[in-house]
Amino acid sequence: MASPAASRVAIFILRVLTFILLLISLIVLTTSATTGEVGIDQTIRIHFNDINAYRYMLAAIVIGFAYSLLQLAFSTCHLISGNRLISGDGGILVDFYSEKVISYLLATGAAAGFGVTKDMKDYFEANNWFFGTFYEKVYASASMLFLAFVCSAVLSVLYSYQLPKKV
């Protein structure tokens, strides 16, 4: 088993990575908008906010981002001082279960982004409606969100190793 200091550093690095991935995902998703040709003289402007699945994806990103920022602050204090803000088994249990919830939220947000983008791209291209780089941007945002989920899931596993062993 790794030393407590190594575990704290690994948790801190994963928190920073999750934070950065969510920030990138947020920026890419919120800047996803394009105008596409749908007829000879008709154009449609699509913004991510027009599609419900992308709104859910945005909500997952924002909630995950806020949680990640809060936990990053706690993790920084734990790394510097060596003491947890919530001492005892309660703090580890809270971290373990909150990581589970957040990782599921991030996973479902990424899945929603991937799924609706695939369906929309197939539908629009079947009708000869092309929307430039809109799909690629949303795919990139969903990919960053998926990687943030992976980091959160690894954090959950790390916290499971710290859970108290009860006989």
Side-chain angles (χ1 to χ4, degrees):
M1 175 121 177
S3 70
S7 178
R8 285 194 304 261
V9 171
I11 288 171
F12 179 76
I13 290 170
L14 283 168
R15 292 235 181 261
V16 169
L17 190 56
T18 304
F19 178 79
I20 291 169
L21 288 168
L22 288 171
L23 179 63
I24 292 169
S25 181
L26 180 67
I27 291 169
V28 172
L29 182 65
T30 56
T31 59
S32 297
T34 191
T35 302
E37 302 279 331
V38 295
I40 294 174
D41 58 349
Q42 291 181 329
T43 59
I44 293 178
R45 178 139 177 95
I46 291 184
H47 193 265
F48 83 96
N49 228 9
D50 297 331
I51 296 128
N52 288 332
Y54 295 153
R55 288 187 208 165
Y56 177 77
M57 193 171 147
L58 177 68
I61 293 170
V62 169
I63 291 168
F65 186 77
Y67 171 78
S68 180
L69 184 61
L70 178 69
Q71 285 289 23
L72 187 59
F74 290 154
S75 185
T76 303
C77 291
H78 187 212
L79 186 65
I80 291 171
S81 70
N83 297 327
R84 297 180 60 82
L85 267 65
I86 302 173
S87 60
D89 296 341
I92 294 171
L93 286 171
V94 168
D95 287 340
F96 173 71
Y97 287 117
S98 61
E99 281 302 330
K100 289 282 187 204
V101 170
I102 292 298
S103 66
Y104 291 147
L105 179 69
L106 297 179
T108 57
F114 284 131
V116 77
T117 303
K118 167 82 171 83
D119 290 344
M120 283 180 47
K121 185 175 181 182
D122 291 347
Y123 175 76
F124 287 147
E125 287 180 357
N127 289 313
N128 292 323
W129 300 344
F130 298 103
F131 289 98
T133 62
F134 180 75
Y135 308 116
E136 287 80 14
K137 284 183 177 181
V138 177
Y139 272 136
S141 179
S143 297
M144 295 296 116
L145 184 55
F146 179 75
L147 291 174
F149 152 71
V150 170
C151 290
S152 183
V154 170
L155 278 166
S156 178
V157 170
L158 289 177
Y159 280 120
S160 73
Y161 289 133
Q162 295 179 3
L163 288 175
K165 306 295 184 230
K166 304 220 182 202
V167 181

